[in-house]
Amino acid sequence: KAPVQLVNSLFIVCAATGPTSGVFFGGWCIDQRGGYKGTLQRVMALEMCSCFGAVAFCIAIGLSFTRNIWVFAPLLWMLLFFGGATLPACSGIVVSVVPRKHRTVSSSVSLVVFNLFGYCLSLVLSGYLMELVASAYPLCDFVCSRTYGFHVVLYWSGFAIIYLVLATLAARRAAESALAERAGAAIEPQKQYQQHERNPLWSNAAE
């Protein structure tokens, strides 16, 4: 247990500096690797975001077993840091993969989904679980029920790993098909030239 004022102060510091620092760090890392525009660059950006998300999820698991406030606060800061590091590339990719004429609608829909199924749903699910645990287990006091609700919020980041991996695999397939099309387009003129060299009269007749 720790004083309430200390807990509130540490949480304010973590919530104010962790995500902000992570956004700048994630954007800098993506820029160093060439950004996310283009099929190959998109794959590399999503791979990096998947790594950031995996680190954040591992930290979330460690947070659920931590009881020391001086260990909990740095881990919480790191969780928010690596979670924020995924935002620049992921937000940009969501908009860039949509045709230009639909980007305004895509941005609006994505914000609705983020707020409705992200921020809002996390509060609803964690609160429902707190009430469920408190009613099903009378021995579980206020702190106990809130702990279970907080664990739901922490473990919810596991879904981000799943979807980031799926997005990476889809982007990799798109990059491979794009490379195959480019290779085929480059080989076709060469085949026509070789055919013309073997039979110039037939090629002229076909033309």
Side-chain angles (χ1 to χ4, degrees):
K1 293 182 179 181
V4 177
Q5 292 182 348
L6 176 62
V7 173
N8 291 337
S9 299
L10 291 176
F11 179 78
I12 291 173
V13 171
C14 292
T17 62
T20 306
S21 302
V23 167
F24 284 108
F25 176 76
W28 178 80
C29 290
I30 296 299
D31 287 339
Q32 292 298 311
R33 298 194 64 179
Y36 54 80
K37 292 184 179 180
T39 54
L40 294 178
Q41 297 302 120
R42 189 179 302 132
V43 172
M44 290 189 291
L46 286 171
E47 288 175 348
M48 183 172 291
C49 289
S50 299
C51 293
F52 288 152
V55 173
F57 182 65
C58 292
I59 295 173
I61 295 175
L63 274 174
S64 62
F65 297 100
T66 303
R67 296 294 180 267
N68 189 319
I69 186 63
W70 298 110
V71 177
F72 186 90
L75 289 178
L76 179 62
W77 189 92
M78 294 174 64
L79 170 64
L80 297 175
F81 176 84
F82 285 103
T86 64
L87 287 178
C90 290
S91 301
I93 290 173
V94 166
V95 178
S96 65
V97 297
V98 178
R100 188 176 298 275
K101 63 180 179 179
H102 299 306
R103 287 183 181 179
T104 303
V105 177
S106 173
S107 178
S108 302
V109 172
S110 63
L111 288 176
V112 172
V113 172
F114 296 159
N115 287 279
L116 184 61
F117 296 103
Y119 304 117
C120 180
L121 187 60
S122 66
L123 297 175
V124 174
L125 288 179
S126 59
Y128 177 76
L129 181 62
M130 293 176 192
E131 294 181 356
L132 182 64
V133 171
S135 60
Y137 301 97
L139 296 179
C140 188
D141 58 3
F142 178 83
V143 177
C144 175
S145 62
R146 268 52 184 178
T147 301
Y148 280 103
F150 186 65
H151 286 177
V152 171
V153 176
L154 291 176
Y155 296 150
W156 204 256
S157 59
F159 288 103
I161 308 299
I162 297 174
Y163 292 122
L164 279 173
V165 171
L166 292 176
T168 303
L169 294 176
R172 188 172 296 170
R173 286 196 298 269
E176 291 174 354
S177 62
L179 288 176
E181 290 178 0
R182 292 176 185 175
I187 292 174
E188 186 63 25
Q190 184 177 2
K191 288 184 176 179
Q192 293 179 357
Y193 176 77
Q194 292 176 352
Q195 186 179 16
H196 176 75
E197 289 294 322
R198 290 195 301 267
N199 193 353
L201 295 177
W202 180 87
S203 178
N204 293 332
E207 292 177 358

